Each structure stands twice: as C-alpha cells, then as structure tokens.
Amino acid sequence: MTEPLVTLDAVTVRFDGRTAVDRVTLSIRRGDILTIIGPNGAGKTTLIKALLGLQPPTAGTVTRQPGLVIGYVPQNLHMEATLPLSVRRFMALSGRPAEECAQALARTGIGHLADASIHHLSGGEKQRLLLARALARRPDLLVLDEPAQGVDINGQAALYHLIRELRDQLNCGVIMISHDLHLVMAATDKVICLNQHVCCSGYPADISHDPAFIETFGRSVAESVAVYHHHHNHRHNLHGDVIPTIPETSDSHGHRCSHEPH
C-alpha cells in the first residue's frame, strides 16, 4: 500500500472556545476519492483548511508527503463584473506555462472557450474552469469544496464523472466536500460523515445503513441514497445533453464486456 499523501491525526480546531472540528483522523492516498459530507456548520470547510495548511489545528497533527502538490477548487468563482477577463487570461494568472494551461482546459472539456469572457460562462463551465486551474499545477492531490455548486443536476453527474476520469488519468488523490448525497455516493470510494467529529465512515454502499448517518440526515434520505446505486446507459456533456454509451454485459467469467455495433 502506498504512503498517504496527507494524514490528519486527532485534529481539533477551536474558535473562541467553540469546537469546529473535534479529534478527526483520516488519511488519503493516490487513487482515493474521499468525500466529506455533513450538515451545515459541521466543520467541513474548516477541516479542509486545516488539511491545506490554511488553518492551524488547536490540537492534533497534519502530515503531508514531502513535496506534495495540491490543486484546490473553491466553491465559487467570484470576480468583479466590470473586470474584462478571458478564460485564457484567467488561466495565465496561475503562473503556469501557456501550453500546460491549454492542456488543462482541454482535459476539462472547455478548451474551445479559451477566448470567452469568464463572466459569460455557465455554472458548469465555471466549475470546470476552476478545476482546470487546479489541474495546471499537476497536483498529487485535488481538494474540491462543493465542486458542483451552482450546477444543474445533469451537469453535476457529468462533473463527478469527469473527476473520476481525472483521478484515473493523473493517479492523484481526491478529497471533496459535497451536499449532493445521491450523486456523490456513486462517484466516491469512501465517505466520511462529519458533524464536528466523525460520525461514521465507510464505503458508500454501507454508510447509508449506519445509525449515525440516519440520525444526521434522516431515514428518508438514507433510504433514498441506499437504493440509488445503478449503472447508466448514457452520460451527459457539460451542458447536460444526453450522450448514449455502449451497453455492457458480463461474460461467463464475470468480466464486463462492451458491445460495439458492427
């Protein structure tokens, strides 16, 4: 097993006598997709800031692999509306070479928007732009805070699919915060339910049955998440349009097979 990219050991963060994060322990390795869920005010963003080194813990330790490169994707892109700024120029502000910026835009499916104004982008396009900026750093670890914020339901599915593809291509780790319980359960490898402390953690298929998960989100949400997992016969592009995919079946050995038209 590879060494963790980041390890949090009993991390606690307090503000003015109030505990925002209480003794949280977790680790993430290359190839992992770890999603942190929890109600508003649960300490999710504070935990991410501690992981990034933006918020020193009150107690506990954060250990990062030497030389670790982190690509961070915030919730939203806030830019002054009167500031003329193209997608290409926004990427240039990252300080990365133009070729690497162009490659990152192409990887996220918005290379054709390089000369567009950032103020004219849709919600999904803006999130892909923020993701492209993070990718230009060639990160070992992607950290995403509500990556599907402001994106419609079809666009969310496409974005989470893209995140999995990028994880596979870059062999990086991914840690993200999300409220999109149904979609994220199908897009992640492990889930941590946070409410100041870790209420429960585990594989998506199992965590919805955990009493702590049910107590936090309610039985109706837990039941709907539990039955959500299924295979799709289509995918969506960044505009939410449906794109059919080649159906898969299993052969006699249990391997997935794609049936291409002849």
Side-chain angles (χ1 to χ4, degrees):
M1 183 177 293
T2 60
E3 290 295 314
L5 297 170
V6 179
T7 299
L8 276 64
D9 185 13
V11 166
T12 295
V13 180
R14 296 190 184 94
F15 299 110
D16 301 323
R18 181 181 65 85
T19 300
V21 173
D22 186 19
R23 293 171 295 173
V24 171
T25 295
L26 63 85
S27 62
I28 183 163
R29 293 174 167 81
R30 287 188 183 276
D32 289 347
I33 299 182
L34 172 65
T35 301
I36 301 172
I37 61 175
N40 291 332
K44 301 184 296 296
T45 297
T46 299
L47 183 66
I48 289 297
K49 287 181 177 179
L51 182 148
L52 293 171
L54 302 176
Q55 173 63 55
T58 308
T61 59
V62 179
T63 305
R64 302 175 192 85
Q65 198 175 84
L68 181 72
V69 178
I70 298 177
Y72 174 57
V73 180
Q75 286 187 24
N76 291 300
L77 174 60
H78 296 291
M79 301 294 293
E80 175 58 48
T82 59
L83 178 65
L85 193 64
S86 69
V87 166
R88 191 191 311 277
R89 179 58 182 156
F90 177 80
M91 290 294 293
L93 295 175
S94 69
R96 306 302 300 173
E99 182 179 354
E100 292 181 12
C101 290
Q103 291 173 351
L105 289 172
R107 256 184 171 152
T108 58
I110 57 171
H112 62 291
L113 296 174
D115 295 317
S117 167
I118 63 170
H119 304 298
H120 297 158
L121 301 181
S122 69
E125 290 165 347
K126 286 179 180 177
Q127 292 306 102
R128 285 171 183 256
L129 175 57
L130 291 172
L131 185 55
R133 184 180 63 172
L135 291 180
R137 293 176 51 81
R138 299 185 177 180
D140 304 301
L141 176 64
L142 270 174
V143 179
L144 306 102
D145 189 353
E146 294 285 358
Q149 182 85 7
V151 182
D152 65 28
I153 188 72
N154 289 334
Q156 290 174 24
L159 191 61
Y160 285 127
H161 179 76
L162 172 63
I163 290 167
R164 290 190 70 87
E165 285 187 338
L166 293 171
R167 181 275 310 268
D168 295 339
Q169 292 170 8
L170 301 176
N171 189 32
C172 63
V174 178
I175 184 166
M176 59 182 169
I177 295 172
S178 181
H179 284 105
D180 310 303
L181 294 182
H182 295 85
L183 288 172
V184 81
M185 286 296 193
T188 191
D189 299 321
K190 186 178 180 182
V191 178
I192 289 179
C193 180
L194 186 72
N195 199 354
Q196 278 75 56
H197 65 284
V198 175
C199 299
C200 55
S201 63
Y203 296 108
D206 301 326
I207 197 171
S208 59
H209 302 291
D210 192 291
F213 182 91
I214 295 171
E215 181 180 353
T216 301
F217 292 101
R219 185 168 298 278
S220 61
V221 170
E223 289 174 351
S224 66
V225 168
V227 301
Y228 184 76
H229 303 286
H230 61 279
H231 296 293
H232 294 275
N233 63 358
H234 66 276
R235 60 187 178 88
H236 299 271
N237 64 19
L238 67 111
H239 301 293
D241 302 321
V242 173
I243 302 175
T245 56
I246 298 170
E248 293 182 335
T249 60
S250 297
D251 63 16
S252 59
H253 302 287
H255 300 126
R256 282 187 171 181
C257 305
S258 296
H259 296 279
E260 299 186 10
H262 298 286

